[in-house]
């Protein structure tokens, strides 16, 4: 019940992660909170309840501000990993592991 209310509040306050992809050359992530790791071939970003991992070549970050981030380069793969909300909010350590 609380999770449903929290999702609705994030929708109303525009705090959810929005990702716009233009081909394999540009990616815009709104509400990006933090860049965890960054080099020419890999980026790990924290945005809302997601950890966004981007692989490619010649990756560069532009226009990092409170509203988002633009990533340019040749993007080959994007992974979206759900994070635990309460624990480890400050880093990617709170990534959920699939229990099968």
């Amino acid at each position: 019940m609380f999770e449903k209310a929290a999702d609705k509040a994030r929708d109303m306050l525009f705090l959810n992660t929005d990702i716009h992809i233009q081909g394999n050359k540009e990616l815009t992530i709104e509400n990006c909170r933090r860049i965890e790791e960054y080099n020419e071939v890999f980026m790990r970003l924290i945005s809302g309840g997601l950890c966004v991992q981007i692989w490619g070549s010649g990756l560069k970050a532009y226009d990092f501000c409170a509203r988002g981030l633009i990533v340019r380069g040749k993007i080959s793969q994007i992974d979206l990993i759900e994070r635990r909300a309460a624990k480890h909010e400050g880093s990617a350590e709170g990534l959920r592991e699939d229990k099968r």
Side-chain angles (χ1 to χ4, degrees):
M1 170 105 171
F2 175 75
E3 198 169 309
K4 198 174 202 180
D7 286 342
K8 191 167 191 151
R10 278 193 292 273
D11 285 341
M12 292 176 66
L13 297 172
F14 304 103
L15 298 176
N16 282 328
T17 302
D18 283 333
I19 300 174
H20 305 275
I21 302 170
Q22 295 178 356
N24 68 337
K25 302 288 184 199
E26 185 173 288
L27 176 75
T28 304
I29 303 173
E30 294 180 12
N31 295 319
C32 180
R33 292 184 187 173
R34 179 175 33 269
I35 300 172
E36 291 261 313
E37 190 172 337
Y38 175 1
N39 60 49
E40 286 187 357
V41 296
F42 177 74
M43 286 189 190
R44 180 183 299 127
L45 314 169
I46 302 300
S47 180
L50 293 176
C51 174
V52 181
Q53 297 185 130
I54 305 163
W55 282 268
S57 59
L59 299 177
K60 293 186 181 184
Y62 295 91
D63 297 332
F64 183 66
C65 64
R67 299 202 189 276
L69 176 73
I70 297 173
V71 177
R72 291 187 181 127
K74 186 175 181 186
I75 299 167
S76 59
Q77 182 177 333
I78 302 167
D79 287 340
L80 305 174
I81 303 168
E82 190 174 356
R83 299 173 51 232
R84 289 185 212 139
K87 235 180 177 183
H88 304 292
E89 182 65 26
S91 73
E93 290 178 32
L95 301 179
R96 290 188 179 163
E97 294 180 13
D98 290 337
K99 296 187 181 188
R100 296 176 193 208

